[in-house]
Amino acid sequence: MTTAPPTPPDTDAAAFVAALRRLKAWSGLSYRRLERRAADAGHTLPYSTAATMLGRERLPRAELVAAFVAACGVRGAEAEAWLDARSRIACGAADAGRAAVDAGGSVGLAAVDAGSPAWRPAVVTPPARSEPMEAVPLRRPRPLRWAPVAAAVILTALLGGALASGDLTDDEEIRQSRTAYDVTEAR
């Protein structure tokens, strides 16, 4: 790492993530090593989260950027520059969204006046549909969990009753004596 690390762009989220990829390449570290170095610096950065962060085009959270930059070996003012660039991109996207909403566009960001917090969730009404909505098939109801237990109880009761009445017994002596008695009676 004799050359200077890449500098963060202020343009958009995709360019920022591309610069983070260049920073990882500059560090020469694997995702597992980045995870360990972030832990050594007092941050939490699972290797899967770092890989996912670099595989997307969305702006990562500030704490992930701080952990990633620290793990790559960037410290001090250079690390602050990465966080400042991330904040400028995030605020710039919010400003662009506000401008589009003020101009009558439907972006999905709430129009924010100067006195309200910028993190307020947006209330967006869906556009009117010209075609009818298609029917959503109904899901089958979940089978009852107690049904197998009830079936087992009923089956046990029926078998118990049959055994008690002697219908299912296989006692050969009783049959022979009844048959012999019935034969002698019939004569």
Side-chain angles (χ1 to χ4, degrees), residues 26-180:
W26 172 81
S27 72
L29 300 171
S30 68
Y31 289 113
R32 297 269 183 181
R33 293 279 317 218
L34 287 171
E35 179 180 19
R36 282 185 234 123
R37 290 192 55 182
D40 292 343
H43 297 281
T44 302
L45 181 68
Y47 70 92
S48 59
T49 303
T52 302
M53 175 179 70
L54 296 182
R56 293 184 178 165
E57 297 298 316
R58 289 189 309 191
L59 193 63
R61 295 188 324 252
E63 54 271 3
L64 289 178
V65 173
F68 185 80
V69 168
C72 287
V74 177
R75 304 272 190 262
E78 292 173 335
E80 287 298 320
W82 281 93
L83 292 172
D84 292 342
R86 188 228 169 261
S87 296
R88 281 190 298 276
I89 292 169
C91 292
D95 290 340
R98 275 189 229 117
V101 169
D102 291 341
S106 175
V107 176
L109 296 174
V112 180
D113 59 319
S116 66
W119 49 266
R120 185 179 70 199
V123 178
V124 178
T125 57
R129 292 185 165 265
S130 59
E131 72 277 351
M133 293 179 63
E134 58 185 73
V136 177
L138 296 177
R139 289 186 358 187
R140 284 186 12 201
R142 278 179 60 188
L144 300 176
R145 294 179 192 252
W146 55 267
V149 174
V153 168
I154 291 171
L155 184 62
T156 304
L158 288 175
L159 287 175
L163 284 174
S165 68
D167 289 342
L168 297 178
T169 58
D170 194 26
D171 196 357
E172 200 59 36
E173 289 181 20
I174 295 174
R175 264 196 223 141
Q176 286 177 357
S177 65
R178 282 186 188 162
T179 320

